[in-house]
Amino acid sequence: MSDVFTTRILRVTTGSDETVSDLTRDIQLFLDEAAHGRNGLLNVFVPHATAGIAVIETGAGSDDDLLATLHTLLPADDRWQHRHGSRGHGRDHVLPALVPPHATLPVVGGRLELGTWQSVCLVDTNKDNPDRQVRLSFLG
């Protein structure tokens, strides 16, 4: 049974463009303080109805490919019944069904256990809300 649970809110400003924001460095800084070299689980959760968490490669075009795929699957047009905010905003409310608002990841020896090219990213297509919170919770 674990005896340590630590949680913190990470504030992220995504701006007015659709974005994939790499959180990996900030997550590791949190684990450096919270895990103290222990094994456990990290839960990453975004408490917003229009954003998600993805574990993907970044910097080699995959982040742009993800946004392009979301444009294909969820066009920003007037087809959506949920209508407020900017044109096509209803699609932003469908995003978490495809890019979930959470990820639970292993922590080994206080380090996030990711594959060589994997990063933990906030995916935000909502241009109307540039201020996001991401809850990081370590159990170990």
Side-chain angles (χ1 to χ4, degrees):
M1 183 72 174
S2 172
D3 61 352
V4 177
F5 175 79
T6 306
T7 189
R8 178 176 303 151
I9 296 288
L10 178 64
R11 299 191 188 285
V12 180
T13 301
T14 56
S16 59
D17 293 323
E18 297 176 355
T19 188
V20 175
S21 301
D22 190 341
L23 305 175
T24 310
R25 182 176 179 276
D26 291 322
I27 289 171
Q28 189 56 57
L29 289 173
F30 165 73
L31 289 172
D32 290 346
E33 294 177 21
H36 302 287
R38 289 188 302 274
N39 298 337
L41 293 173
L42 173 76
N43 182 264
V44 182
F45 176 72
V46 56
H48 299 284
T50 58
I53 300 294
V55 178
I56 64 168
E57 177 182 7
T58 60
S62 297
D63 36 357
D64 291 333
D65 290 342
L66 174 57
L67 291 175
T69 299
L70 292 173
H71 273 269
T72 300
L73 295 172
L74 304 171
D77 59 22
D78 292 328
R79 73 183 69 202
W80 308 100
Q81 293 181 38
H82 185 106
R83 294 174 190 244
H84 69 84
S86 61
R87 183 175 187 263
H89 175 65
R91 75 178 189 119
D92 299 327
H93 288 273
V94 177
L95 173 76
L98 301 176
V99 181
H102 58 85
T104 300
L105 304 163
V107 176
V108 178
R111 306 289 304 169
L112 194 56
E113 189 75 2
L114 294 173
T116 302
W117 304 112
Q118 289 180 317
S119 295
V120 182
C121 299
L122 171 66
V123 179
D124 187 1
T125 59
N126 183 358
K127 301 176 193 180
D128 297 336
N129 185 1
D131 299 311
R132 298 302 190 159
Q133 296 179 9
V134 179
R135 178 169 293 281
L136 307 176
S137 300
F138 174 73
L139 179 64

